[in-house]
């Protein structure tokens, strides 16, 4: 363990943890917006997979990372429209619908990958930004100024989401329809329209999260996300539907994942212990939810469909 507790290794682990937190953060922020409107989306994992494949295949065919990012967001938006139709218009049970979206994303991306690519083909993905003198700073440079653009976008969205949800009309409407949709309706708020908008925004961010993951590793494979979408849903509860809390949770899980990877690289975790250690983020998710479940309150109308009285 002495090899792990050195400045260079610890800084590299924390820097990697920030990078690994990016998909968690993007998808969890999007899910926060959706849940604040009263809609639970357990299909985040599936949307991330579709966004990841869209980004990968677009970047592979065009050679453009920017085009890949746009494709991931477009794929997320399309899935948002589908999910909004299922849950808001058709009033389908949100939990079952979300699982359906996940299974669709898992199977559909695997099918497309086998037909269009076949074997994994690496792409030139995201690269760290060159910030000149800032990137050359000891410790701080590697920790804070060595990441790709989407990592900075993800963390910049934390105050943006907070401001949007607490200081704009749209945000106030989202919160209103998530708490008391009947009262919001009597005040002229179009509940189903607001929920549809929140769902699409959330799915765009989930698609971008998947795209970020694929472009970061520079490859696509079956079940690339490996449960990250479900952890993102859990992070919404961890953060008590606040963007700052979600960010803290994303960083925690990112650093835990990075620590496990670093310990494997150093040979500290080997054999059967390696498999057990890989479960650490999932185990941490369960423990955290048990600890916080009694002190948080979900939006009152979460998972409750709204149907206007005639």
């Amino acid at each position: 363990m002495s090899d792990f507790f050195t400045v260079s290794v610890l800084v590299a682990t924390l820097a990697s943890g920030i990078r690994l937190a990016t998909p968690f953060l993007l998808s969890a922020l999007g899910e926060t917006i959706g849940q604040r409107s009263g809609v639970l989306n357990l299909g985040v994992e599936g949307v991330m997979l579709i966004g990841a494949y869209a980004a990968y295949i677009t970047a592979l065919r065009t050679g453009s990372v920017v085009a890949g990012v746009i494709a991931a967001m477009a794929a997320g938006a399309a899935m948002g429209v589908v999910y909004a139709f299922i849950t808001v218009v058709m009033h389908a049970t949100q939990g079952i619908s979300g699982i359906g979206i996940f299974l669709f994303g898992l199977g559909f991306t695997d099918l497309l990958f086998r037909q269009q690519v076949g074997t994994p083909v690496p792409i030139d993905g995201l690269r760290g930004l060159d910030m000149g003198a800032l990137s050359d700073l000891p410790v701080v440079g590697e920790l804070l100024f060595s990441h790709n653009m989407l990592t900075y976008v993800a963390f910049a969205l934390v105050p943006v989401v907070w401001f949007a949800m607490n200081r704009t009309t749209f945000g106030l409407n989202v919160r209103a329809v998530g708490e008391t949709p009947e009262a919001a309706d009597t005040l002229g708020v179009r509940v189903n329209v607001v929920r549809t908008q929140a769902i699409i925004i959330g799915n765009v961010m989930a698609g971008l999260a998947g795209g970020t993951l694929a472009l970061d590793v520079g490859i696509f494979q079956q079940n690339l996300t490996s449960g990250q979408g479900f952890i993102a849903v859990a992070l919404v509860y961890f953060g008590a539907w606040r963007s700052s809390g979600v960010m803290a949770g994303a960083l925690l899980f990112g650093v835990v994942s990075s620590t496990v990877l670093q310990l494997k690289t150093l040979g500290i975790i080997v054999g059967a212990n390696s498999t057990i250690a890989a479960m650490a983020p999932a185990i941490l998710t369960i423990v955290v939810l048990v600890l916080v479940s009694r002190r948080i309150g979900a939006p009152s109308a979460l998972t409750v469909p709204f149907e206007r009285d005639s």
Side-chain angles (χ1 to χ4, degrees), residues 6-297:
T6 62
V7 173
S8 60
V9 172
L10 288 175
V11 170
T13 301
L14 291 175
S16 178
I18 293 174
R19 177 178 58 83
L20 293 176
T22 302
F24 289 131
L25 182 56
L26 285 168
S27 51
L29 285 175
E31 177 65 6
T32 298
I33 297 172
Q35 288 197 24
R36 290 297 289 268
S37 75
V39 180
L40 170 67
N41 183 9
L42 293 180
V44 172
E45 178 92 351
V47 179
M48 287 181 67
L49 282 169
I50 292 173
Y53 183 75
Y56 169 77
I57 194 66
T58 302
L60 178 64
R61 297 288 172 79
T62 67
S64 171
V65 171
V66 174
V69 170
I70 295 173
M73 296 174 68
M79 294 306 300
V81 172
V82 172
Y83 192 63
F85 177 78
I86 294 172
T87 57
V88 177
V89 179
M90 303 303 294
H91 304 298
T93 303
Q94 293 175 13
I96 296 175
S97 301
I99 295 300
I101 292 292
F102 158 61
L103 293 175
F104 171 76
L106 180 63
F108 186 58
T109 54
D110 183 44
L111 176 63
L112 288 178
F113 178 73
R114 291 177 183 274
Q115 289 185 339
Q116 298 182 341
V117 184
T119 57
V121 178
I123 59 173
D124 291 329
L126 295 168
R127 298 180 180 178
L129 296 178
D130 183 5
M131 296 191 178
L134 291 177
S135 299
D136 296 331
L137 290 173
V139 180
V140 177
E142 181 179 358
L143 190 62
L144 300 179
F145 303 110
S146 62
H147 304 289
N148 62 69
M149 176 60 73
L150 291 182
T151 294
Y152 295 111
V153 168
F155 283 90
L157 283 174
V158 173
V160 171
V161 170
W162 176 88
F163 181 84
M165 297 302 296
N166 294 279
R167 294 291 186 270
T168 68
T169 301
F170 171 74
L172 296 177
N173 287 342
V174 168
R175 294 166 57 192
V177 303
E179 295 290 345
T180 53
E182 292 80 8
D185 180 63
T186 61
L187 294 175
V189 177
R190 301 173 66 185
V191 176
N192 287 340
V193 171
V194 172
R195 285 185 170 180
T196 297
Q197 293 171 340
I199 291 171
I200 293 174
I201 292 172
N203 278 264
V204 166
M205 295 177 70
L208 178 59
T212 299
L213 180 61
L215 294 172
D216 186 30
V217 299
I219 203 73
F220 183 86
Q221 61 186 17
Q222 184 184 30
N223 196 22
L224 176 68
T225 51
S226 300
Q228 291 192 25
F230 291 106
I231 292 178
V233 175
L235 288 179
V236 178
Y237 291 81
F238 176 95
W241 294 270
R242 297 174 301 177
S243 58
S244 58
V246 167
M247 179 183 70
L251 283 171
L252 173 63
F253 285 97
V255 170
V256 168
S257 299
S258 175
T259 300
V260 171
L261 291 173
Q262 191 66 257
L263 292 177
K264 289 181 180 180
T265 301
L266 294 174
I268 298 173
I269 298 179
V270 295
N273 292 330
S274 178
T275 302
I276 296 174
M279 298 169 59
I283 295 173
L284 184 58
T285 300
I286 297 172
V287 172
V288 166
L289 289 180
V290 169
L291 294 176
V292 305
S293 61
R294 295 184 178 181
R295 67 175 180 83
I296 60 178

